[in-house]
Every structure is written in C-alpha cells, then in structure tokens.
Amino acid sequence: GSKGGDVASSTAVRYFSMAFSETKGFSNEKELFAWLKQHIRKANDEIFTLSTTRVEYRGMGTTMVALLLTKAGNYVINIGDSRCYALFENGLFKQLTEDHTMVQEMLNKHEITEEEAKNHVRRHYITNALGVWNEARFDVFKVKDSVDYFLLCSDGLSNLMDDQEILFEVAHGQEKEKCCQRLLDIAKKR
C-alpha cells in the first residue's frame, strides 16, 4: 500500500492479536462495542504515533476488516476500504461493508452511478483509516442471517475482480479450501 502501509498493517495485526489473546470474552453486545472502541483507539494511537514520530512512516495508515464469531452472533468491523462479503445460505452473495472512500460518499449522495464509481479517478481516496488521523471511525454490525461463507479482503482483490467473479470462486470454484489462493492468483495476474 502507501508509504509504510506494511508497517501500519503489521502493527494493527500484532496489536489486535495481543488484545484478543488477553480478553476473556464479552458478556453482551454493549461490552463488545466498548471493547472495540477502546482497542481501535489504542491501535490507532500506536500507528499514528509511529507515523508522526518517524520520518520514514510519515502519513502511513492501514485499512482494516475483521470478523468476530461469537456465541451471540457474528460481528463485522471495518475501517477504510477493506471489505467483508458473505455468501448466505439462500445463495445471495453481497458486500456487507461500506467503503470509507470519497467515491462511496459520492455514491451515497447520488452524484455518480455504480458504473462511474468503478473507474472513477478518486476511487482510491480513503476517508478513514487506522493511524492516518488522531481518531479513526469504525463501522460494526451484527450479521443476522445465516451465512455459509465470509470473505474478508483488501482493495487489492476487490479493485481487480468484480463481485460476480468473486462469487463464482467462492460459490462454484473447486476445492473450497483453496478459494483464497485462487482469488490471490487471479488478482496477482491482473
């Protein structure tokens, strides 16, 4: 990704791996949301501090998408333009997250069409990320329907394959355990 993006993303992964390993779980949704708010803030602070104190990392940041599978339900968290897709039991395949980008904001205001958004010159302008600003916003929501498969990916996949191509690999591709490798291979070839 952008300057220092690999450092920002590995910092986020390391931070959340540590934070999750130290948690005892959540007794209710309110506790889960409070925990997420606290730890997203702390992860953002850690990346932002690196970004503002080290010249080689100035301006770095990372997007994030995560899935929490709990006894109480499945929760999706996203920051930026990394995405979560779901293939539901009824065969419906859809993007669950909304990108935090300038183009998504334009779509929401009906200033451009879906077709125009695909190749828009500003489609990579992110309006939210971990570590870029002193505060990061995040979306979190519970998935209420039954899902056969979740797919979490960065824009390195979603910018190179359309939803129908991704659906084909997830739903109809051979050997389900190799689905992610097939998607990665296609994206790299493109």
Side-chain angles (χ1 to χ4, degrees):
S2 60
K3 181 180 179 182
D6 58 334
V7 174
S9 62
S10 64
T11 300
V13 168
R14 181 183 41 75
Y15 179 85
F16 282 103
S17 295
M18 180 266 315
F20 275 112
S21 70
E22 293 176 356
T23 188
K24 302 288 188 241
F26 312 103
S27 58
N28 57 49
E29 197 170 83
K30 184 178 177 183
E31 191 176 293
L32 166 69
F33 285 19
W35 186 93
L36 284 169
K37 185 175 182 178
Q38 172 190 2
H39 287 285
I40 287 171
R41 188 187 77 248
K42 286 182 176 183
N44 189 72
D45 289 348
E46 189 172 326
I47 297 165
F48 186 73
T49 298
L50 275 173
S51 173
T52 56
T53 58
R54 306 259 311 259
V55 174
E56 66 271 27
Y57 300 144
R58 186 115 334 134
M60 78 173 177
T62 186
T63 62
M64 182 180 108
V65 63
L67 177 64
L68 285 172
L69 305 173
T70 72
K71 290 177 185 170
N74 303 320
Y75 294 85
V76 176
I77 302 101
N78 78 297
I79 300 169
D81 63 351
S82 288
R83 294 179 175 176
C84 178
Y85 292 91
L87 178 61
F88 294 92
E89 283 182 346
N90 64 6
L92 174 68
F93 180 75
K94 74 178 213 178
Q95 178 183 337
L96 299 179
T97 53
E98 182 174 281
D99 294 347
H100 300 153
T101 62
M102 187 178 292
V103 164
Q104 185 63 52
E105 289 176 4
M106 293 167 75
L107 276 167
N108 292 348
K109 294 175 185 173
H110 305 289
E111 295 172 354
I112 59 173
T113 66
E114 290 280 343
E115 203 54 42
E116 291 171 321
K118 289 179 184 176
N119 297 308
H120 197 281
V121 68
R122 293 188 176 138
R123 72 183 178 279
H124 300 297
Y125 287 33
I126 295 175
T127 58
N128 189 27
L130 270 178
V132 176
W133 300 280
N134 62 355
E135 246 183 82
R137 299 177 333 276
F138 66 96
D139 294 335
V140 60
F141 55 90
K142 185 176 184 177
V143 180
K144 295 182 173 132
D145 299 317
S146 296
V147 174
D148 283 341
Y149 296 99
F150 287 100
L151 173 69
L152 285 70
C153 67
S154 72
D155 65 340
L157 179 69
S158 59
N159 283 344
L160 296 170
M161 294 181 72
D162 66 36
D163 289 359
Q164 289 304 309
E165 292 175 302
I166 295 171
L167 166 62
F168 179 82
E169 289 302 324
V170 172
H172 306 295
Q174 308 291 320
E175 300 180 83
K176 295 291 183 212
E177 65 276 358
K178 294 184 180 177
C179 174
C180 290
Q181 187 59 54
R182 288 192 311 272
L183 291 169
L184 180 63
D185 292 343
I186 294 166
K188 282 183 171 182
K189 284 178 186 170
R190 291 184 181 176

